[in-house]
Amino acid sequence: MHKKIKWANIYLWFVFILLYLPIFFLIVYSFNAGDVMQGWDGFSWKHYGELFADTRIAEIVVSTLLLAISASLISSVIGTAGALYVYNLRNGVMKNVFLSLNNVLLVSPDVIIGASFLVFFTVLGFSLGFTSVLLSHIAFTIPIVVLMVLPRLQEMNQSLIAAAKDLGANNWQMLTRVVLPVISPGILAGFFMAFTYSLDDFAVTFFVTGNGFSTLSVEIYSRARQGVSLEINALSAVMFVVSLIMVLVYYAISTRAEKNKKRATHLMLVASEGL
C-alpha cells in the first residue's frame, strides 16, 4: 500500500514538473539581458521596460481585460439563469436534451466554433471587431457557467425552499434570499472559469476579430510568427502571475465561503437543539 502511494506521488510530481518547467524557463529568460532564448547574457529588467513602454500592448491588455470581464459577467448571468431553468425542468427528456446541447458546446473544438461564428457573422453582414468577439466569447462561456452552477443547485437542501414558502416568500424573494446565496460559490467559480477561458482564447478570437481589434493571444501569435522576442516572455510572465493571483483570490474566497457555510450550519443545529 505504501509503495503504491509513493509511486503515485512520484508520478504526480513528474506531471507537475512536465507542465511547469516550460513556464519556468519562459519566466527565467524574461530576465535575460540578451534578445533571444539562446544563452544567458546576464540579469536584466529591460524586456519588462520595453513591455510597459509598448503602448500597443497596453491598449491590447485593456481591451482584452474589458472583453474578458464583460463576457464573463454576461455569461454568468445567462448561465445561472440557464442552470436554474434546466434544474426546474420536470420533463426528464427535455432536461437531458438541454444538458446534451450544453455539453456539445463544451467538447466542440474551438476551431469549429470560431469558423461557425465567422460564417454566421458573414451571412448576417455583421462587422467583425470587439462586438463580434464579445458575442462569441459569451456563447462559448455560457456552457461553462451552467456546468459550474448546476451541481450547486442539485446539492441544495430542498428544505430551505420549503421553509421559505412556508414563511410566505414569493418567487423573487426565494431566488434572491435563498437560492442565489446558496449557489453563489458555483456562480463565482463559473465567473472565474469564464474569465480565464475568455482571457486566453485564441482559436475563436482569431476567426471573428477584425477592424484593428486584437487580444493578447492573437497579438502574441502575430508577433511570434515574426520571431520570438523576449518581450513576449515578459508579457507571458506577467499574465502567469496575474492568473496565479486570481487562483489564490478564488481559493481564499471559496475557503471563506465554505467556513461561513459550516458555521451557519453549526448555528442552525445548535438552535434546533435548543428548541
Side-chain angles (χ1 to χ4, degrees):
M1 184 68 182
H2 292 291
K3 289 185 177 179
K4 289 184 179 180
I5 294 174
K6 185 177 179 180
W7 280 109
N9 290 337
I10 292 173
Y11 174 74
L12 185 62
W13 277 107
F14 173 75
V15 170
F16 274 111
I17 291 171
L18 193 65
L19 289 172
Y20 282 94
L21 193 60
I23 299 175
F24 172 77
F25 275 105
L26 181 145
I27 294 174
V28 168
Y29 272 92
S30 69
F31 298 101
N32 187 13
D35 295 322
V36 293
M37 289 184 64
Q38 293 181 357
W40 181 261
D41 297 328
F43 182 89
S44 174
W45 290 92
K46 75 170 187 176
H47 299 295
Y48 287 89
E50 293 171 357
L51 173 65
F52 292 116
D54 193 333
T55 55
R56 175 170 171 78
I57 284 291
E59 292 175 359
I60 291 174
V61 167
V62 173
S63 299
T64 303
L65 290 175
L66 179 62
L67 172 71
I69 292 172
S70 302
S72 52
L73 282 174
I74 297 172
S75 63
S76 295
V77 174
I78 299 175
T80 301
L84 287 167
Y85 176 76
V86 172
Y87 175 74
N88 289 311
L89 274 175
R90 294 293 174 260
N91 190 324
V93 176
M94 288 299 298
K95 180 178 287 190
N96 289 331
V97 168
F98 278 112
L99 288 175
S100 299
L101 291 174
N102 186 76
N103 293 335
V104 165
L105 288 175
L106 285 172
V107 300
S108 295
D110 289 345
V111 174
I112 301 299
I113 296 175
S116 301
F117 273 110
L118 175 61
V119 172
F120 177 70
F121 290 135
T122 302
V123 170
L124 293 180
F126 197 87
S127 178
L128 299 181
F130 177 83
T131 306
S132 62
V133 177
L134 176 62
L135 293 174
S136 302
H137 282 215
I138 292 171
F140 75 74
T141 53
I142 286 175
I144 300 169
V145 178
V146 173
L147 191 68
M148 301 301 292
V149 173
L150 200 55
R152 286 285 180 174
L153 285 168
Q154 292 168 345
E155 294 172 0
M156 185 173 58
N157 190 346
Q158 292 300 312
S159 61
L160 296 173
I161 304 295
K165 288 181 179 179
D166 290 340
L167 293 171
N170 55 36
N171 291 336
W172 178 252
Q173 289 172 328
M174 283 192 295
L175 176 65
T176 55
R177 299 183 183 181
V178 179
V179 177
L180 290 182
V182 171
I183 66 173
S184 58
I187 299 174
L188 184 65
F191 171 81
F192 275 103
M193 288 293 292
F195 181 84
T196 304
Y197 270 72
S198 177
L199 191 66
D200 70 354
D201 177 75
F202 168 75
V204 176
T205 307
F206 183 77
F207 277 96
V208 297
T209 191
N211 291 332
F213 177 77
S214 184
T215 62
L216 279 173
S217 57
V218 176
E219 181 68 14
I220 290 173
Y221 172 76
S222 301
R223 294 194 179 196
R225 291 182 63 187
Q226 302 170 1
V228 178
S229 168
L230 293 188
E231 183 183 343
I232 301 300
N233 286 47
L235 175 59
S236 302
V238 171
M239 290 178 65
F240 176 77
V241 171
V242 170
S243 301
L244 185 61
I245 292 172
M246 285 181 58
V247 170
L248 294 175
V249 169
Y250 169 69
Y251 177 76
I253 293 174
S254 59
T255 302
R256 183 177 179 181
E258 193 66 29
K259 287 181 179 179
N260 291 336
K261 182 180 177 181
K262 290 181 179 179
R263 189 180 297 114
T265 303
H266 176 70
L267 291 175
M268 289 177 64
L269 290 172
V270 171
S272 62
E273 288 176 359
L275 295 173

